[in-house]
């Protein structure tokens, strides 16, 4: 059995590695190194936790067995899942973190002696508070993540599901959780503990169902934060330093990311935390059957415009991810640069369906980091740009966000693509984006619609050079 001091030292090393991992993941250039630090930190934490047990009973074999099964399933999913399904995969993983926190809290409540928390019916007050918070946040994370998964997967409609006085109801339920926690700490009645978990599961559902599909990237980062706080709460219950550090890092970084995403979508940070933001009807314009004039072209037209341009800005979106067109796009850009054309990539903070989705895809295609720019860095360049090549991005380029106060995306900062001299918009059809809002950019005089699969169209443009 490893000594307490050595255990604390190894947990400290693990925590430092997790901090280095987050620091490394903050930049594409150091992301691989950050991943390595994270893996090493988790490996140390798991091994040291096992060594701290001391008494290896037959149950240890079951732990190893389930670790191998879970690790095998996780590895299989990681290898098989396409990049387009990464948002729902992340939501699914968040749900498992929340559920794990709930299970640990249940185990600690039913068998406090095993966790040195006291005896049944006489658990330490601090431990009760910690496990109550961990169980409640974990249950909210689990059910909320499941709803997010269903919406992202298309099993449930992406439109917000609203009901009268939903904010009041959410507030009442949240207050009831606090009241239940208080009486649980006073009486330690099992029924109160089970009621706390059940109501928390309900809160998770009620927080996420009023949120529309266009706001799912913010939901992903918010649930990421929740899962961290759930882990930290359970870490206090188990008196596990590594779990506390890891949970706090995930919770705080997820909260910071949520704030950045809210700023990128012009949403209220506190509305995100409380749920139910973006609850307007997002389908009001998707059913608009009004016929508007649209100019369409082919790969030859697109190649001609690009060959005669001095600067081109690429705007990738979810459509590029679906078509897996990032490698073809990189090849097209290389061709443009050989012809002396300046090329840049413009990334909106919420392009795709999770934070950093487009950055990951471009990195996969080995796009140079110095060619990729965030919205604030490149938005002013569109006015001086000859061609903007929009490949699958929709809501993040919709001028309606600046002109229509009734639109559900009104106020969201967008890429000023419409200011470019020519806009080449690659899309399969005129269908609205994930927000369910018709894109006014389709009908602009300087827009040429390229109706095709994003990968095929990009490959055809390369052939037309």
């Amino acid at each position: 059995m490893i000594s307490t001091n050595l255990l604390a030292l190894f947990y400290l090393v693990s925590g430092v590695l997790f901090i280095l991992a987050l620091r490394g993941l903050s930049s594409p250039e150091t992301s691989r190194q950050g991943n390595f630090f994270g893996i090493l930190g988790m490996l140390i934490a798991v091994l040291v936790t096992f060594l701290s047990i001391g008494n290896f009973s037959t149950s240890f074999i079951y732990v190893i067995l389930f670790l191998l099964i879970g690790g095998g399933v996780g590895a299989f999913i990681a290898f098989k899942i396409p990049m387009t399904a990464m948002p729902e995969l992340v939501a699914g993983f968040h749900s498992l973190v929340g559920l794990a926190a709930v299970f640990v809290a249940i185990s600690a409540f039913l068998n406090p002696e095993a966790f040195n928390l006291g005896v049944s019916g006489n658990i330490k007050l601090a431990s009760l508070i910690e496990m109550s918070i961990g169980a409640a946040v974990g249950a909210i994370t689990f059910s909320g993540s499941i709803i997010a998964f269903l919406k992202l997967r298309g099993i449930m409609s992406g439109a917000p599901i609203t009901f009268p006085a939903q904010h009041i109801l959410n507030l009442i339920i949240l207050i009831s959780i606090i009241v239940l926690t208080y009486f649980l700490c006073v009486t330690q009645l099992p029924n109160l503990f089970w009621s706390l978990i059940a109501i928390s599961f309900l809160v998770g559902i009620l927080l996420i169902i009023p949120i529309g599909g266009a706001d799912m990237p913010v939901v992903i980062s918010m649930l990421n934060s929740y899962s961290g706080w759930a882990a930290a709460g359970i870490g206090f219950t188990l008196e596990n330093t590594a779990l506390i550090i890891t949970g706090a890092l995930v919770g705080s970084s997820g909260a910071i990311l949520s704030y950045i995403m809210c700023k990128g979508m012009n949403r209220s940070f506190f509305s995100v935390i409380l749920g139910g933001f973006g609850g307007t009807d997002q389908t009001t314009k998707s059913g608009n059957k009004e016929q508007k004039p649209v100019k369409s072209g082919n790969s030859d037209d697109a190649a001609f415009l690009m060959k005669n341009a001095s600067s081109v800005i690429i705007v990738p979106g979810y459509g590029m991810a679906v078509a897996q067109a990032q490698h073809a796009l990189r090849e097209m850009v290389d061709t443009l640069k050989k012809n002396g054309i300046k090329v840049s990539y413009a990334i909106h903070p919420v392009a795709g369906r999770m934070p950093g989705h487009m950055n990951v895809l471009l990195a996969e295609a080995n796009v140079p980091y110095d060619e990729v720019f965030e919205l604030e860095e490149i938005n002013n360049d569109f006015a001086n740009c000859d061609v903007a090549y929009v490949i699958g991005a929709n809501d993040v380029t919709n001028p309606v966000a600046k002109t229509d106060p009734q639109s559900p995306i009104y106020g969201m900062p967008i890429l000023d693509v419409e200011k470019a001299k020519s806009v080449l918009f690659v899309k399969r059809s005129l269908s609205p984006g994930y927000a369910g809002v018709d894109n006014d950019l389709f009908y602009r005089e300087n827009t040429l619609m390229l109706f095709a699969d994003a990968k095929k169209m990009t490959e055809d443009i390369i052939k037309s050079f």
Side-chain angles (χ1 to χ4, degrees), residues 220-240:
I220 292 293
S221 60
M222 177 185 72
L223 292 171
N224 177 51
S225 179
Y226 284 1
S227 67
W229 297 126
I234 294 302
F236 279 107
T237 301
L238 301 179
E239 296 182 352
N240 188 301

Side-chain angles (χ1 to χ4, degrees), residues 297-346:
N298 54 35
S299 57
D300 292 332
D301 299 322
F304 176 80
L305 285 172
M306 288 188 180
K307 279 190 290 187
N308 290 279
S310 60
S311 63
V312 174
I313 297 179
I314 311 292
V315 181
Y318 187 70
M320 183 190 77
V322 172
Q324 298 183 19
Q326 60 269 26
H327 295 283
L329 182 65
R330 167 66 193 273
E331 187 180 347
M332 185 190 80
V333 169
D334 288 342
T335 303
L336 290 173
K337 289 193 289 187
K338 287 178 183 178
N339 285 269
I341 301 167
K342 179 185 176 183
V343 183
S344 305
Y345 296 83

Side-chain angles (χ1 to χ4, degrees), residues 67-77:
L67 269 178
L68 292 174
I69 293 173
V73 172
F76 177 79
I77 292 173

Side-chain angles (χ1 to χ4, degrees), residues 31-370:
S31 59
R32 290 182 183 273
Q33 187 182 60
N35 265 323
F36 172 76
F37 284 141
I39 293 170
L40 182 60
M42 186 56 68
L43 184 62
I44 292 173
V46 172
L47 289 176
V48 170
T49 300
F50 273 120
L51 292 175
S52 67
I53 295 174
N55 180 23
F56 296 107
S57 62
T58 53
S59 60
F60 179 76
I61 303 299
Y62 293 107
V63 173
I64 295 295
L65 178 64
F66 287 124
L67 269 178
L68 292 174
I69 293 173
V73 172
F76 177 79
I77 292 173
F79 278 114
K80 289 292 184 179
I81 200 75
M83 274 303 302
T84 50
M86 195 59 66
E88 51 258 46
L89 175 66
V90 172
F93 282 165
H94 288 163
S95 72
L96 295 178
V97 175
L99 189 61
V102 173
F103 283 156
V104 172
I106 291 174
S107 299
F109 185 79
L110 295 179
N111 190 15
E113 297 94 337
F115 295 88
N116 296 318
L117 305 178
V119 295
S120 183
N122 190 25
I123 303 173
K124 292 182 290 186
L125 178 61
S127 298
L128 263 178
I129 296 173
E130 292 158 3
M131 75 172 64
S132 298
I133 293 174
V137 178
I140 292 171
T141 303
F142 173 74
S143 55
S145 297
I146 293 298
I147 298 299
F149 173 87
L150 296 175
K151 288 197 172 193
L152 289 165
R153 195 69 178 174
I155 299 173
M156 178 182 289
S157 171
I161 302 173
T162 58
F163 47 88
Q166 65 186 42
H167 293 294
I168 296 176
L169 178 60
N170 287 344
L171 181 61
I172 292 173
I173 295 177
L174 288 171
I175 292 174
S176 68
I177 289 177
I178 297 173
V179 173
L180 276 173
T181 302
Y182 170 77
F183 282 107
L184 174 64
C185 293
V186 172
T187 63
Q188 300 195 21
L189 293 175
N191 288 341
L192 293 178
F193 181 71
W194 296 115
S195 298
L196 173 67
I197 293 177
I199 292 176
S200 298
F201 279 130
L202 178 62
V203 170
I205 296 173
L206 295 178
L207 285 177
I208 306 303
I209 59 171
I211 301 176
D215 298 319
M216 275 300 128
V218 186
V219 173
I220 292 293
S221 60
M222 177 185 72
L223 292 171
N224 177 51
S225 179
Y226 284 1
S227 67
W229 297 126
I234 294 302
F236 279 107
T237 301
L238 301 179
E239 296 182 352
N240 188 301
T241 308
L243 194 54
I244 294 171
I245 293 173
T246 307
L249 286 172
V250 173
S252 56
S253 60
I256 293 170
L257 179 59
S258 296
Y259 174 78
I260 294 172
M261 299 293 287
C262 288
K263 185 179 178 182
M265 297 186 71
N266 195 34
R267 302 297 191 191
S268 166
F269 179 67
F270 291 103
S271 295
V272 175
I273 295 173
L274 296 175
F277 68 103
T280 54
D281 184 5
Q282 295 184 329
T283 61
T284 53
K285 293 201 173 186
S286 63
N288 188 359
K289 300 300 182 181
E290 179 186 353
Q291 297 295 319
K292 300 178 184 178
V294 174
K295 292 192 297 183
S296 63
N298 54 35
S299 57
D300 292 332
D301 299 322
F304 176 80
L305 285 172
M306 288 188 180
K307 279 190 290 187
N308 290 279
S310 60
S311 63
V312 174
I313 297 179
I314 311 292
V315 181
Y318 187 70
M320 183 190 77
V322 172
Q324 298 183 19
Q326 60 269 26
H327 295 283
L329 182 65
R330 167 66 193 273
E331 187 180 347
M332 185 190 80
V333 169
D334 288 342
T335 303
L336 290 173
K337 289 193 289 187
K338 287 178 183 178
N339 285 269
I341 301 167
K342 179 185 176 183
V343 183
S344 305
Y345 296 83
I347 307 293
H348 192 281
V350 295
R353 294 185 185 174
M354 68 176 290
H357 200 176
M358 294 302 105
N359 301 74
V360 173
L361 287 174
L362 295 180
E364 182 187 334
N366 295 316
V367 171
Y369 304 130
D370 58 358

